[in-house]
């Protein structure tokens, strides 16, 4: 995931997140096309695919999404990120809804996670989301 994910969602979709959380993948895709131009080029903001945004919105729900975006757009958080590298999810083939979702920070065996990354993982877990650091095992 982009380190600017939550700021990009805020910039592209605005304050009224309730209209986005219940949308289908197709509706989100149309809104991405409409709102992508609203991203400031100099801010290096990037949105993931409509499928990923749909899963994020469904997994987080409105209240948690608002809390996450408020954190990442606050002046106190300026210059920080901590957004995990990956958002992994499985989608039920019948309902189209995410059934399992995880935020994952990937590190080499001896690579330390930064304080900001660990704080973000604790924050996400504190919201009832599933986040963790996974370490790669390098084959020789």
């Amino acid at each position: 995931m982009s380190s600017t994910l939550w700021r990009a969602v805020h910039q592209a979709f605005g304050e009224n997140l309730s209209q986005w959380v219940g949308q289908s993948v197709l509706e989100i895709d149309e809104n991405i096309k409409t709102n992508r131009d609203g991203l400031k080029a100099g801010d290096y903001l990037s949105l993931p695919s409509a499928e990923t945004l749909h899963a994020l919105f469904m997994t987080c729900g409105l209240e948690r999404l608002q809390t996450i975006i408020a954190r990442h757009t606050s002046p106190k958080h300026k210059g920080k990120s901590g957004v995990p590298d990956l958002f992994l999810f499985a989608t039920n083939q019948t309902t189209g809804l995410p059934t399992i979702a995880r935020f994952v920070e990937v590190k080499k065996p001896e690579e330390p996670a930064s304080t900001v990354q660990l704080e973000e993982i604790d924050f996400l877990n504190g919201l009832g989301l599933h986040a963790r650091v996974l370490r790669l095992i390098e084959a020789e």
Side-chain angles (χ1 to χ4, degrees):
M1 292 191 307
S2 166
S3 63
T4 62
L5 169 69
W6 303 117
R7 291 191 305 270
V9 168
H10 180 259
Q11 183 86 33
F13 298 114
E15 299 291 332
N16 190 5
L17 293 170
S18 60
Q19 66 185 351
W20 310 114
V21 171
Q23 290 190 339
S24 70
V25 173
L26 293 174
E27 290 169 321
I28 291 171
D29 189 50
E30 286 301 314
N31 286 312
I32 289 172
K33 290 174 186 171
T34 302
N35 293 300
R36 196 177 295 271
D37 292 340
L39 299 176
K40 296 177 185 174
D43 289 341
Y44 304 102
L45 300 177
S46 176
L47 289 171
S49 70
E51 292 83 7
T52 300
L53 280 174
H54 181 258
L56 275 168
F57 293 168
M58 296 302 293
T59 298
C60 293
L62 180 59
E63 288 182 27
R64 291 189 289 201
L65 190 60
Q66 289 172 325
T67 301
I68 293 167
I69 289 176
R71 171 185 169 92
H72 282 268
T73 58
S74 76
K76 182 179 175 184
H77 203 72
K78 187 173 176 87
K80 297 179 183 178
S81 175
V83 176
D85 296 318
L86 304 172
F87 174 68
L88 305 174
F89 61 96
T91 303
N92 181 297
Q93 295 297 319
T94 304
T95 65
L97 300 176
T99 55
I100 299 171
R102 302 287 185 265
F103 293 89
V104 179
E105 179 63 35
V106 180
K107 294 293 180 190
K108 293 178 183 175
E110 301 300 321
E111 181 183 12
S114 73
T115 301
V116 174
Q117 291 168 331
L118 294 174
E119 288 171 353
E120 185 71 9
I121 288 169
D122 287 344
F123 170 72
L124 293 169
N125 282 322
L127 292 176
L129 300 168
H130 299 278
R132 65 182 311 165
V133 175
L134 292 179
R135 300 203 173 275
L136 298 173
I137 298 175
E138 297 180 5
E140 294 187 30

